[in-house]
Amino acid sequence: MDTTGESLGDLVAELTGDLSKLMRQELELAKAEIRQEAVKAGKATGMLAAAGFAGYLTTVLLSLALVFALGAVMPLGWAALIVAALWGIAGAVLYSTGRARLRTVNPTPERTVETLKEDAEWAKHPTK
């Protein structure tokens, strides 16, 4: 018998309301986590883009200066080849660093997944 004065319908309605509220909260948590990871991805992408642009400008201007400086002691063709190889190495280092940072982005909302598991367990056994 029900000693608290609440009917089974009231209990079911309360449980349904609680579950609905819980799902809305979980959805908000997932959105917040995804936004946070998107910001990290955006920053890493911006760094890659900035590195590419800076590398381009630097390559053009310094390459010309270095080619002409080396041209004083060797043919300009060989000087240009040496300078291009050096900037290729620098570009590879920038690319590698940016890619490594981009790999740290985790698109899975880990806390949300964990709390959803806990919520599912609670829903199976709400009295525990």
Side-chain angles (χ1 to χ4, degrees):
M1 289 286 169
D2 187 13
T3 59
T4 62
E6 291 185 33
S7 70
L8 182 58
D10 291 339
L11 292 175
V12 169
E14 185 178 333
L15 179 62
T16 303
D18 288 346
L19 284 174
S20 176
K21 180 180 178 183
L22 185 60
M23 287 299 124
R24 283 192 303 273
Q25 289 173 339
E26 294 297 340
L27 183 60
E28 288 302 315
L29 178 60
K31 286 180 185 178
E33 283 187 273
I34 290 170
R35 266 192 303 272
Q36 185 178 30
E37 291 301 313
V39 167
K40 283 172 54 178
K43 287 180 181 179
T45 303
M47 290 179 75
L48 287 173
F53 183 69
Y56 173 75
L57 289 177
T58 302
T59 299
V60 170
L61 298 174
L62 288 178
S63 291
L64 287 173
L66 191 55
V67 165
F68 286 113
L70 290 174
V73 294
M74 67 177 64
L76 284 176
W78 286 111
L81 186 61
I82 290 170
V83 170
L86 291 174
W87 288 120
I89 292 168
V93 169
L94 288 170
Y95 172 79
S96 176
T97 303
R99 188 170 182 213
R101 287 188 183 182
L102 195 56
R103 285 184 177 167
T104 65
V105 174
N106 183 5
T108 306
E110 298 292 337
R111 291 183 304 197
T112 301
V113 170
E114 185 62 34
T115 57
L116 281 173
K117 288 177 185 176
E118 292 171 3
D119 297 343
E121 187 62 32
W122 175 84
K124 290 178 187 176
H125 310 286
T127 58
K128 286 187 178 182

